[in-house]
mmCIF file of all heavy atoms in Angstrom:
data_model
loop_
_atom_site.group_PDB
_atom_site.id
_atom_site.type_symbol
_atom_site.label_atom_id
_atom_site.label_comp_id
_atom_site.label_asym_id
_atom_site.label_seq_id
_atom_site.Cartn_x
_atom_site.Cartn_y
_atom_site.Cartn_z
ATOM 1 N N THR H 129 11.001 -44.791 -35.324
ATOM 2 C CA THR H 129 10.352 -45.558 -34.265
ATOM 3 C C THR H 129 11.176 -45.361 -32.967
ATOM 4 O O THR H 129 12.435 -45.422 -33.012
ATOM 5 C CB THR H 129 10.310 -47.067 -34.594
ATOM 6 O OG1 THR H 129 9.682 -47.197 -35.852
ATOM 7 C CG2 THR H 129 9.538 -47.823 -33.517
ATOM 8 N N VAL H 130 10.499 -45.139 -31.869
ATOM 9 C CA VAL H 130 11.146 -44.986 -30.568
ATOM 10 C C VAL H 130 10.598 -45.957 -29.575
ATOM 11 O O VAL H 130 9.536 -46.584 -29.784
ATOM 12 C CB VAL H 130 10.975 -43.529 -30.043
ATOM 13 C CG1 VAL H 130 11.663 -42.534 -30.955
ATOM 14 C CG2 VAL H 130 9.517 -43.173 -29.831
ATOM 15 N N ASP H 131 11.304 -46.128 -28.489
ATOM 16 C CA ASP H 131 10.844 -46.995 -27.407
ATOM 17 C C ASP H 131 9.620 -46.427 -26.686
ATOM 18 O O ASP H 131 9.383 -45.203 -26.757
ATOM 19 C CB ASP H 131 11.949 -47.211 -26.392
ATOM 20 C CG ASP H 131 13.104 -48.004 -26.960
ATOM 21 O OD1 ASP H 131 12.828 -48.865 -27.799
ATOM 22 O OD2 ASP H 131 14.262 -47.811 -26.526
ATOM 23 N N ASP H 132 8.927 -47.272 -25.965
ATOM 24 C CA ASP H 132 7.814 -46.839 -25.185
ATOM 25 C C ASP H 132 8.214 -45.798 -24.123
ATOM 26 O O ASP H 132 7.401 -44.925 -23.743
ATOM 27 C CB ASP H 132 7.146 -48.038 -24.463
ATOM 28 C CG ASP H 132 6.277 -48.862 -25.442
ATOM 29 O OD1 ASP H 132 5.909 -48.340 -26.515
ATOM 30 O OD2 ASP H 132 6.063 -50.026 -25.124
ATOM 31 N N TYR H 133 9.464 -45.881 -23.691
ATOM 32 C CA TYR H 133 9.980 -44.952 -22.695
ATOM 33 C C TYR H 133 9.833 -43.488 -23.197
ATOM 34 O O TYR H 133 9.336 -42.585 -22.486
ATOM 35 C CB TYR H 133 11.420 -45.234 -22.401
ATOM 36 C CG TYR H 133 12.107 -44.144 -21.589
ATOM 37 C CD1 TYR H 133 11.935 -44.100 -20.199
ATOM 38 C CD2 TYR H 133 12.912 -43.166 -22.212
ATOM 39 C CE1 TYR H 133 12.571 -43.063 -19.449
ATOM 40 C CE2 TYR H 133 13.507 -42.211 -21.466
ATOM 41 C CZ TYR H 133 13.329 -42.149 -20.063
ATOM 42 O OH TYR H 133 13.947 -41.167 -19.377
ATOM 43 N N TYR H 134 10.194 -43.225 -24.472
ATOM 44 C CA TYR H 134 10.149 -41.896 -25.046
ATOM 45 C C TYR H 134 8.736 -41.477 -25.314
ATOM 46 O O TYR H 134 8.344 -40.313 -25.169
ATOM 47 C CB TYR H 134 11.049 -41.796 -26.227
ATOM 48 C CG TYR H 134 12.490 -41.967 -25.912
ATOM 49 C CD1 TYR H 134 13.161 -43.137 -26.193
ATOM 50 C CD2 TYR H 134 13.208 -40.949 -25.227
ATOM 51 C CE1 TYR H 134 14.518 -43.295 -25.896
ATOM 52 C CE2 TYR H 134 14.513 -41.103 -24.901
ATOM 53 C CZ TYR H 134 15.166 -42.287 -25.228
ATOM 54 O OH TYR H 134 16.483 -42.436 -24.882
ATOM 55 N N ARG H 135 7.931 -42.448 -25.735
ATOM 56 C CA ARG H 135 6.485 -42.096 -25.938
ATOM 57 C C ARG H 135 5.861 -41.650 -24.653
ATOM 58 O O ARG H 135 5.111 -40.629 -24.651
ATOM 59 C CB ARG H 135 5.774 -43.348 -26.543
ATOM 60 C CG ARG H 135 6.292 -43.790 -27.850
ATOM 61 C CD ARG H 135 5.520 -44.961 -28.423
ATOM 62 N NE ARG H 135 6.111 -45.514 -29.619
ATOM 63 C CZ ARG H 135 6.677 -46.712 -29.748
ATOM 64 N NH1 ARG H 135 6.711 -47.527 -28.672
ATOM 65 N NH2 ARG H 135 7.194 -47.107 -30.868
ATOM 66 N N GLN H 136 6.070 -42.402 -23.613
ATOM 67 C CA GLN H 136 5.481 -42.031 -22.306
ATOM 68 C C GLN H 136 6.072 -40.748 -21.789
ATOM 69 O O GLN H 136 5.403 -39.934 -21.140
ATOM 70 C CB GLN H 136 5.742 -43.160 -21.271
ATOM 71 C CG GLN H 136 4.890 -43.018 -20.027
ATOM 72 C CD GLN H 136 3.397 -42.996 -20.309
ATOM 73 O OE1 GLN H 136 2.887 -43.840 -21.060
ATOM 74 N NE2 GLN H 136 2.709 -42.005 -19.782
ATOM 75 N N MET H 137 7.359 -40.479 -22.060
ATOM 76 C CA MET H 137 7.980 -39.237 -21.646
ATOM 77 C C MET H 137 7.276 -38.041 -22.271
ATOM 78 O O MET H 137 7.026 -37.040 -21.588
ATOM 79 C CB MET H 137 9.483 -39.248 -22.020
ATOM 80 C CG MET H 137 10.223 -38.052 -21.469
ATOM 81 S SD MET H 137 11.984 -38.112 -21.866
ATOM 82 C CE MET H 137 11.966 -37.819 -23.641
ATOM 83 N N MET H 138 6.981 -38.127 -23.554
ATOM 84 C CA MET H 138 6.250 -37.021 -24.206
ATOM 85 C C MET H 138 4.897 -36.796 -23.542
ATOM 86 O O MET H 138 4.540 -35.653 -23.268
ATOM 87 C CB MET H 138 6.061 -37.349 -25.674
ATOM 88 C CG MET H 138 7.277 -37.237 -26.562
ATOM 89 S SD MET H 138 6.854 -37.444 -28.306
ATOM 90 C CE MET H 138 6.945 -39.233 -28.484
ATOM 91 N N ILE H 139 4.168 -37.873 -23.290
ATOM 92 C CA ILE H 139 2.840 -37.726 -22.748
ATOM 93 C C ILE H 139 2.912 -37.177 -21.331
ATOM 94 O O ILE H 139 2.137 -36.270 -20.969
ATOM 95 C CB ILE H 139 2.174 -39.163 -22.739
ATOM 96 C CG1 ILE H 139 1.914 -39.616 -24.170
ATOM 97 C CG2 ILE H 139 0.861 -39.098 -21.925
ATOM 98 C CD1 ILE H 139 1.523 -41.065 -24.266
ATOM 99 N N ASP H 140 3.853 -37.660 -20.524
ATOM 100 C CA ASP H 140 3.936 -37.199 -19.133
ATOM 101 C C ASP H 140 4.344 -35.704 -19.079
ATOM 102 O O ASP H 140 3.839 -34.960 -18.226
ATOM 103 C CB ASP H 140 4.957 -38.049 -18.369
ATOM 104 C CG ASP H 140 4.458 -39.443 -18.084
ATOM 105 O OD1 ASP H 140 3.218 -39.653 -18.228
ATOM 106 O OD2 ASP H 140 5.285 -40.328 -17.780
ATOM 107 N N ASP H 141 5.266 -35.317 -19.947
ATOM 108 C CA ASP H 141 5.688 -33.945 -19.931
ATOM 109 C C ASP H 141 4.572 -32.947 -20.287
ATOM 110 O O ASP H 141 4.419 -31.889 -19.713
ATOM 111 C CB ASP H 141 6.882 -33.705 -20.866
ATOM 112 C CG ASP H 141 8.199 -34.187 -20.226
ATOM 113 O OD1 ASP H 141 8.295 -34.162 -18.982
ATOM 114 O OD2 ASP H 141 9.103 -34.577 -20.965
ATOM 115 N N ILE H 142 3.751 -33.375 -21.257
ATOM 116 C CA ILE H 142 2.619 -32.522 -21.612
ATOM 117 C C ILE H 142 1.550 -32.547 -20.553
ATOM 118 O O ILE H 142 0.999 -31.516 -20.170
ATOM 119 C CB ILE H 142 2.015 -33.002 -22.978
ATOM 120 C CG1 ILE H 142 3.001 -32.643 -24.086
ATOM 121 C CG2 ILE H 142 0.655 -32.341 -23.220
ATOM 122 C CD1 ILE H 142 2.619 -33.117 -25.454
ATOM 123 N N ARG H 143 1.325 -33.712 -19.910
ATOM 124 C CA ARG H 143 0.392 -33.785 -18.803
ATOM 125 C C ARG H 143 0.780 -32.861 -17.645
ATOM 126 O O ARG H 143 -0.074 -32.171 -17.034
ATOM 127 C CB ARG H 143 0.297 -35.227 -18.290
ATOM 128 C CG ARG H 143 -0.881 -35.438 -17.333
ATOM 129 C CD ARG H 143 -0.754 -36.804 -16.639
ATOM 130 N NE ARG H 143 -0.633 -37.875 -17.635
ATOM 131 C CZ ARG H 143 -1.642 -38.469 -18.204
ATOM 132 N NH1 ARG H 143 -2.840 -38.065 -17.993
ATOM 133 N NH2 ARG H 143 -1.419 -39.446 -19.099
ATOM 134 N N ASN H 144 2.089 -32.790 -17.395
ATOM 135 C CA ASN H 144 2.599 -31.957 -16.278
ATOM 136 C C ASN H 144 2.433 -30.458 -16.542
ATOM 137 O O ASN H 144 2.537 -29.660 -15.622
ATOM 138 C CB ASN H 144 4.083 -32.270 -16.015
ATOM 139 C CG ASN H 144 4.249 -33.679 -15.432
ATOM 140 O OD1 ASN H 144 3.327 -34.213 -14.831
ATOM 141 N ND2 ASN H 144 5.428 -34.219 -15.580
ATOM 142 N N GLN H 145 2.183 -30.103 -17.816
ATOM 143 C CA GLN H 145 2.011 -28.677 -18.148
ATOM 144 C C GLN H 145 0.556 -28.205 -18.121
ATOM 145 O O GLN H 145 0.292 -27.035 -18.340
ATOM 146 C CB GLN H 145 2.619 -28.377 -19.513
ATOM 147 C CG GLN H 145 4.159 -28.531 -19.546
ATOM 148 C CD GLN H 145 4.677 -28.128 -20.924
ATOM 149 O OE1 GLN H 145 4.273 -27.132 -21.486
ATOM 150 N NE2 GLN H 145 5.606 -28.897 -21.428
#
Side-chain angles (χ1 to χ4, degrees):
T129 305
V130 296
D131 291 328
D132 285 338
Y133 169 81
Y134 294 105
R135 298 182 186 114
Q136 192 60 49
M137 184 176 72
M138 285 188 273
I139 295 168
D140 290 343
D141 281 331
I142 289 175
R143 190 191 307 277
N144 291 337
Q145 293 184 43

